Amino acid sequence: MKKKLQILIIVSIIVFLSLSIIQYSLIKNTFNLEQKIFKSEIEKIMTKINKAKSLENFEERWKRKFSFYSEKYQIGKFSKEEYLDSLYQFTTKENKVFVKLFDQEKKKINLDYDIDFQMKPTLLIFIHPEKKDSIWFPEKFHIGNSFIAKNALIVNNSIWKVETSSDETDIENNKVSYELFTADYVKIKNKTWIIFQRMSFTFFFSILLFILICSLFFYTVKSMIKQKDLLLLKTDFINNIIHEFKTPLATLKIASKSLRNKKIVTNEILLENTLTTIERQNIRLEKLLNQIVEISPNNQIKLQFEKVEMSNFLKEIYQDFQLSCSQKEINFLENISDEKVNCSIDKVHLTIAIQNLLDNAIKYSKDEIKVEVNSYVKDNFYHIKIKDSGIGISSKKQKEIFKKFYRVASGNIHNVKGLGLGLFYTKQIIEQHHGEIFVKSELGKGTVFNIKLPIENEK
Ligand code: ADP
C-alpha cells in the first residue's frame, strides 16, 4: 500500500512536471507568434507613415544633399573626415525637421501605443572601376529618434543605388555611382507588456488552469495520505479491540469453568473471589463497549446540562478515583480551589472525561506514580489541571493524541491497554461544554492536561 502510494505520487509528479513544461512552451510559442503578428503590424504602420507626402519630400531633399556630398568626396574635393563631418552636420540639422514631421504623421494614425523610428545608413560602397571605396557609418549617424538600435525592432533593410555624373569629375565618363545600405528600426515603448496584454486571455486561462491542476493534485495526494493514515488507525483500532477483549473473555471463561468445580463452590472464600473476578471482568467489558458506543457516528452524545458547584464536584471525582486506586502505591497531590463557582455541566459525561485523564496519568506512569489535581478560577473560567510524572508525550505526538483511535505506539505493540478513544471522547465533551483542553508534556518527565470551562455567572 505504502509503495503503491509512493509510485502513484512519483508518477503524478512526473505527469505534473511534464504538463507544466508543455504549458510553458505553449505560452512561449503563443508569445513568439504574437510578437511576429505585432512586428508585421508595425511594418504596415511604418509603410503607411513613410508614404506620407511630407516625409517623402523630406527623404528626397535629404538624398539630394547626401548625393551632393558623396560626389564631392568621390571626386576628391573632400577628405574622408570632411565628408563624414559634413554628412553628420547636415543630417543632425535636418533631423529636427524629420522628427517633427514624423510625430505629426504618427498622431494622424492614432496608435494606442508609442513608437520611435530611426533610419540608419550603415554602409556606403562607391562603385567605380578605378576608385572603389566603402564607408561604415558610425552609430551616432541616423535620421529619426535617438535610441540604441540594437534593442529595437528592425522593420526594413534597403539598398539605395545611385548613379550620377558631375561636371567637375576627372574620373572616367564623369560617373559617380554608389550603393547606400540602410536599416529602419522601430522602438515600441513597453513592447513586452503590450504583447502580454494581447495574449492576456490565453495567459489568464493558462495560469488559472495551472493553479487548478496544482490544487487538484495537492488535494488528491493529501486525501490519499489521509485515507492511508485512517486505514492504519482503523487497523490499529481493530487490533486493540481484539487485544482488549481477549483478556476479560479468557478470564470469564476460566472463572465460569471453575464454578462447575465443587471444591470452589463449596469454599466460601474461593467462590467469593471467583464471583468478584466475574463482576470485575463484566465491568471491564461494559466499559470497553461503552467507549465504542459513545464514539460511534450514529450515537450523538446528548448532554444534560445543570448548574453545578465545581469545587465539590471535582473533589468527589478525585476521592472516588483515589479509592479505586487503593491497591496501587500512588503519590496523590491535591490543590482544588475552595472558591465556590458554578458551571453548567453534564455531570455524568464530564466525570467520565476527567476520569479518562486521571486513568491515563496512572496508565502511562513510570515506576514511581505521582498524580496531582489542581483547580483555580481565572478570567471567568474554571481551570482544572491534571499533572503526572509519567512517560510523557513528544511534542510531535501531542498534536495527534486527541484524534479518534490514536495511540502513541504504532501497530499492535502497546505496553498499556487502550483503544485510543479516551482523549478523543474527553475533548468532544469539553468542547460541548464550550470549554478547551490543552496538553503540555515532556518526554520522560510527565504530562499536564489543562481543562478550561466557562463559569456560569449569577443573574
Ligand atoms: P488510550 O489510553 O486508550 O490509548 P487515549 O485517547 O486516552 O487512548 O490516549 C491516547 C494516547 O495518548 C495514548 O495511547 C497514550 O499514548 C497517550 N497519552 C494519553 N495520556 C497520556 C499521559 N498522561 N501520559 C503519556 N501519554 C499519554
Side-chain angles (χ1 to χ4, degrees):
M1 173 80 186
K2 206 175 166 190
K3 199 144 197 192
K4 253 190 190 169
L5 191 74
Q6 270 173 354
I7 293 170
L8 212 75
I9 290 175
I10 291 168
V11 172
S12 310
I13 288 174
I14 294 170
V15 171
F16 178 70
L17 283 177
S18 319
L19 214 75
S20 309
I21 293 166
I22 293 170
Q23 191 81 4
Y24 169 76
S25 75
L26 272 176
I27 291 181
K28 209 176 154 203
N29 285 346
T30 318
F31 182 82
N32 288 341
L33 198 76
E34 283 289 343
Q35 209 166 8
K36 274 185 190 151
I37 295 169
F38 193 50
K39 194 184 168 204
S40 77
E41 184 184 310
I42 296 289
E43 279 166 1
K44 273 184 201 151
I45 290 167
M46 284 321 298
T47 324
K48 203 172 168 188
I49 293 179
N50 284 333
K51 264 189 189 154
K53 203 87 217 130
S54 60
L55 289 177
E56 268 183 356
N57 289 343
F58 175 88
E59 194 184 341
E60 216 173 279
R61 216 170 49 243
W62 183 81
K63 278 184 175 170
R64 227 180 296 130
K65 217 153 189 189
F66 186 88
S67 293
F68 171 75
Y69 284 111
S70 301
E71 278 172 39
K72 288 245 182 254
Y73 169 65
Q74 184 70 349
I75 61 171
K77 289 249 164 159
F78 278 160
S79 67
K80 200 174 209 171
E81 281 73 36
E82 278 171 334
Y83 168 61
L84 283 174
D85 199 45
S86 324
L87 277 185
Y88 183 65
Q89 273 186 22
F90 95 76
T91 307
T92 313
K93 210 171 124 213
E94 290 291 309
N95 196 32
K96 283 180 193 135
V97 181
F98 176 85
V99 172
K100 221 175 185 177
L101 291 173
F102 182 78
D103 277 351
Q104 277 169 5
E105 293 307 321
K106 197 166 69 177
K107 262 183 204 145
K108 280 183 200 164
I109 286 185
N110 235 341
L111 289 171
D112 50 7
Y113 46 83
D114 196 14
I115 56 173
D116 280 346
F117 173 77
Q118 198 177 89
M119 193 281 279
K120 240 173 127 51
T122 47
L123 174 67
L124 181 72
I125 301 173
F126 288 101
I127 309 157
H128 194 278
E130 279 172 30
K131 199 180 176 187
K132 283 186 183 169
D133 194 6
S134 63
I135 290 170
W136 285 98
F137 291 104
E139 180 71 28
K140 62 181 183 180
F141 190 54
H142 69 262
I143 298 172
N145 306 100
S146 293
F147 56 80
I148 299 165
K150 198 167 68 183
N151 305 327
L153 210 68
I154 185 153
V155 288
N156 190 26
N157 273 317
S158 58
I159 307 168
W160 180 39
K161 289 183 182 167
V162 181
E163 205 164 289
T164 173
S165 64
S166 169
D167 299 335
E168 298 174 56
T169 183
D170 49 0
I171 304 167
E172 191 192 341
N173 296 332
N174 288 353
K175 287 254 167 83
V176 171
S177 69
Y178 55 82
E179 282 178 359
L180 177 66
F181 292 80
T182 60
D184 292 352
Y185 294 93
V186 170
K187 194 177 166 208
I188 304 120
K189 277 171 200 156
N190 301 327
K191 184 181 130 223
T192 314
W193 175 238
I194 293 165
I195 296 173
F196 267 121
Q197 260 180 333
R198 287 181 174 201
M199 52 185 282
S200 59
F201 184 78
T202 326
F203 204 59
F204 174 75
F205 274 99
S206 298
I207 288 182
L208 198 78
L209 217 75
F210 189 74
I211 292 171
L212 214 77
I213 291 170
C214 269
S215 325
L216 227 77
F217 169 71
F218 285 115
Y219 177 77
T220 315
V221 171
K222 214 176 143 189
S223 51
M224 256 157 52
I225 293 170
K226 217 172 162 183
Q227 285 295 324
K228 193 202 90 197
D229 287 351
L230 206 73
L231 201 79
L232 263 176
L233 274 180
K234 282 192 176 160
T235 321
D236 256 18
F237 175 64
I238 291 163
N239 287 338
N240 286 334
I241 285 189
I242 296 166
H243 186 72
E244 288 288 282
F245 274 75
K246 249 183 191 167
T247 327
L249 284 175
T251 320
L252 278 174
K253 198 175 170 186
I254 297 164
S256 49
K257 230 183 200 172
S258 43
L259 285 180
R260 291 190 189 276
N261 189 330
K262 281 216 173 82
K263 269 188 205 160
I264 291 174
V265 182
T266 47
N267 185 327
E268 222 172 277
I269 299 169
L270 281 177
L271 182 67
E272 183 57 32
N273 277 349
T274 314
L275 288 174
T276 316
T277 309
I278 291 172
E279 253 171 37
R280 211 175 39 238
Q281 296 311 324
N282 241 338
I283 292 169
R284 200 168 150 187
L285 281 175
E286 205 174 34
K287 241 182 163 179
L288 277 171
L289 208 70
N290 277 346
Q291 274 198 56
I292 300 164
V293 172
E294 266 155 7
I295 60 97
S296 81
N298 305 332
N299 184 47
Q300 273 282 339
I301 310 168
K302 281 212 177 77
L303 303 187
Q304 308 260 317
F305 289 99
E306 57 182 307
K307 212 172 179 181
V308 175
E309 196 285 301
M310 290 307 284
S311 171
N312 283 336
F313 168 71
L314 192 60
K315 275 182 184 159
E316 270 171 30
I317 298 175
Y318 176 70
Q319 276 154 16
D320 289 349
F321 178 69
Q322 261 186 320
L323 275 176
S324 69
C325 308
S326 48
Q327 297 108 315
K328 289 179 187 155
E329 204 175 298
I330 300 169
N331 185 1
F332 282 109
L333 280 163
E334 180 252 301
N335 195 2
I336 296 170
S337 159
D338 285 325
E339 202 175 331
K340 301 275 181 246
V341 288
N342 297 324
C343 287
S344 174
I345 59 164
D346 179 307
K347 272 176 105 173
V348 179
H349 285 283
L350 193 61
T351 305
I352 301 171
I354 295 170
Q355 267 171 358
N356 280 344
L357 299 183
L358 292 168
D359 283 344
N360 281 352
I362 311 270
K363 268 163 79 177
Y364 302 103
S365 61
K366 291 189 290 196
D367 297 341
E368 211 178 301
I369 312 174
K370 200 166 142 192
V371 183
E372 194 179 328
V373 179
N374 292 333
S375 85
Y376 57 94
V377 177
K378 195 183 165 193
D379 302 332
N380 229 19
F381 279 96
Y382 192 75
H383 292 257
I384 304 167
K385 257 188 179 177
I386 294 164
K387 188 177 170 188
D388 65 59
S389 51
I391 58 171
I393 310 159
S394 70
S395 52
K396 206 175 147 197
K397 306 276 164 70
Q398 283 170 34
K399 291 172 205 129
E400 310 288 328
I401 54 169
F402 295 102
K403 286 182 183 163
K404 208 191 253 186
F405 309 135
Y406 187 83
R407 306 203 72 216
V408 170
S410 63
N412 210 5
I413 338 156
H414 291 289
N415 301 326
V416 184
K417 290 166 190 160
L419 296 177
L421 293 174
L423 288 181
F424 171 75
Y425 168 83
T426 302
K427 192 172 169 32
Q428 301 283 308
I429 295 298
I430 302 293
E431 279 172 359
Q432 283 198 48
H433 279 79
H434 306 291
E436 282 176 83
I437 179 164
F438 312 100
V439 63
K440 252 193 204 164
S441 186
E442 206 177 319
L443 208 59
K445 290 213 168 147
T447 307
V448 189
F449 282 99
N450 198 335
I451 295 175
K452 205 174 145 189
L453 292 167
I455 290 171
E456 184 90 337
N457 288 318
E458 295 295 330
K459 284 178 191 138

